[in-house]
Amino acid sequence: MSRAGSNAGAGHSVERLRALFAEGEFPPAAAFVRPDLAPAAVLVPLVLREEGLSVLLTRRSRHLNHHPGQISFPGGRIDEADASPEAAALREASEEIALPASRVEVLGRLPDFPVGTGFLISPVVGLVRPPLDLRASPAEVDEIFEAPLSFLLNQGNHQRHAFPGEKRHYWSIPWKHYAIWGATAGILRGLSEALAQRENFR
């Protein structure tokens, strides 16, 4: 099957995503936005499947110090040796789930996302082309799975929660037996809002 035929189900979504990132500038590097927070980066991997785009997610190891057992994107702290948040996100994806950088087409970055554990996350959105031979790093990842992008971006599936006694809130997106929440759900919510805003102001 040709590349165009095998990815036909994802075509419209890919066009919308390309248009979104072609219109805006990248946000500033994390260290310059909030110098009190440690810069980190995650890869938001969108896999080109026949039935449409899916999102590649991981369940973090329950032995980690930060966010053990939570659903997340591949990623971590930006090292001094990393040339950019994009480079850090690709490196982390390779280390955590053996995703080769050569299989990823980086589309752009979403606005930086602060988390309560002292990190400022730069979400790097990339298209991932199968075939994939992924392997979880036992020290960091317990599980690798995919969920439909259309479901995760549908705001009807998003639930808003308040922190007890605070004005802040967070998002969750239940899918099957997975509880996607916190930064992962917040980043997906941000992508959903950015796409919706672009459609509204064409």
Side-chain angles (χ1 to χ4, degrees), residues 137-149:
S137 168
E140 298 186 83
V141 174
D142 283 344
E143 183 182 0
I144 305 169
F145 66 97
E146 294 180 31
L149 179 65

Side-chain angles (χ1 to χ4, degrees), residues 58-61 64 75 92 95-96 137-142:
T58 70
R59 185 189 297 278
R60 291 170 60 82
S61 169
L64 294 173
E92 287 283 349
E95 293 174 358
E96 290 184 11
S137 168
E140 298 186 83
V141 174
D142 283 344

